């Protein structure tokens, strides 16, 4: 259905974002399964992570490259877990209004507004953190519908993006 397959690699390996369909990576033709979701997130992180090692080789001390990689991954993993805990617990303002956000057999719980049901909160939270940290621009959930603190994490990742992941990618492409 259209030239979607040829455009996905360009979208994920570059900092292009967007997509052939209006719903970006939430569309089943662009991101069919949670495994495809994982592979696309891996593609987003692939080049920036590899550039840490490249930096180590350039300065002839690979330990420096691994130290930079470890620091960046520590920040990213902390942001992912914080984002997931915030989105999984739901919006406290909605709880005060009587909205049931508890997980049941028919309700995944938490803040599912704007999230693709196939991916749920875990994959949406990871994607939102990874894509903003890498300054990629692609989405698999509506970023405006995250909780206020979840939005703060995405904004922080965008601001800190020049310190990790996206900063290396852009620095090496400008050289």
């Amino acid at each position: 259905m259209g030239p979607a397959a040829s455009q996905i690699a360009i979208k994920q390996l570059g900092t292009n974002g967007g997509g052939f369909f209006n719903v970006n990576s939430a569309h089943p033709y662009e991101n069919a399964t949670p495994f495809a979701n994982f592979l696309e997130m891996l593609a987003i992180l692939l080049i920036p992570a590899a550039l840490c090692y490249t930096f180590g080789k350039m300065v002839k001390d690979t330990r420096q490259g691994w130290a930079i990689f470890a620091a960046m991954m520590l920040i990213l993993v902390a942001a992912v877990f914080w984002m997931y805990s915030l989105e999984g617990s739901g919006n406290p303002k909605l709880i005060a209004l009587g909205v049931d956000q508890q997980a049941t057999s028919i309700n995944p719980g938490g803040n599912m507004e704007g999230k693709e049901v196939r991916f749920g909160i875990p994959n949406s939270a990871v994607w939102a953190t990874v894509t903003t940290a890498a300054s990629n621009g692609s989405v698999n959930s509506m970023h405006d519908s995250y909780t206020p603190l979840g939005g703060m994490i995405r904004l922080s990742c965008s601001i800190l993006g020049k310190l990790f992941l996206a900063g290396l990618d852009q620095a090496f492409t400008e050289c």
Side-chain angles (χ1 to χ4, degrees):
M1 301 303 291
S6 64
Q7 303 301 311
I8 302 304
I10 296 167
K11 177 181 82 170
Q12 300 304 51
L13 292 175
T15 55
N16 306 12
F20 184 75
F21 303 101
N22 284 340
V23 293
N24 209 318
S25 289
H27 197 281
Y29 292 156
E30 286 195 27
N31 197 355
T33 64
F35 181 67
N37 194 57
F38 172 76
L39 289 179
E40 287 190 37
M41 281 189 283
L42 188 63
I44 291 170
L45 295 176
L46 194 62
I47 292 174
L51 288 175
C52 294
Y53 183 76
T54 305
F55 171 78
K57 291 296 263 186
M58 288 175 64
V59 298
K60 298 185 183 1
D61 186 5
T62 55
R63 293 178 301 156
Q64 288 185 26
W66 285 113
I68 292 171
F69 176 76
M72 290 189 314
M73 286 299 118
L74 181 69
I75 294 170
L76 182 66
V77 169
V80 165
F81 279 108
W82 194 16
M83 172 78 88
Y84 174 69
S85 69
L86 291 170
E87 292 301 311
S89 62
N91 190 335
K93 294 291 187 185
L94 293 178
I95 293 171
L97 294 173
V99 176
D100 184 18
Q101 297 183 60
Q102 296 298 319
T104 64
S105 61
I106 59 171
N107 181 12
N111 181 29
M112 277 296 290
E113 179 191 355
K115 301 195 179 46
E116 171 62 48
V117 177
R118 292 175 298 135
F119 305 131
I121 293 171
N123 286 326
S124 297
V126 173
W127 187 286
T129 308
V130 165
T131 193
T132 53
S135 186
N136 175 267
S138 63
V139 296
N140 75 352
S141 59
M142 181 51 64
H143 285 187
D144 286 348
S145 64
Y146 278 70
T147 60
L149 290 176
M152 179 193 70
I153 294 170
R154 285 190 351 273
L155 182 61
S156 299
C157 285
S158 294
I159 293 168
L160 293 174
K162 301 304 174 200
L163 298 177
F164 71 117
L165 298 174
L168 280 178
D169 190 18
Q170 292 170 0
F172 274 89
T173 54
E174 290 173 4
C175 287

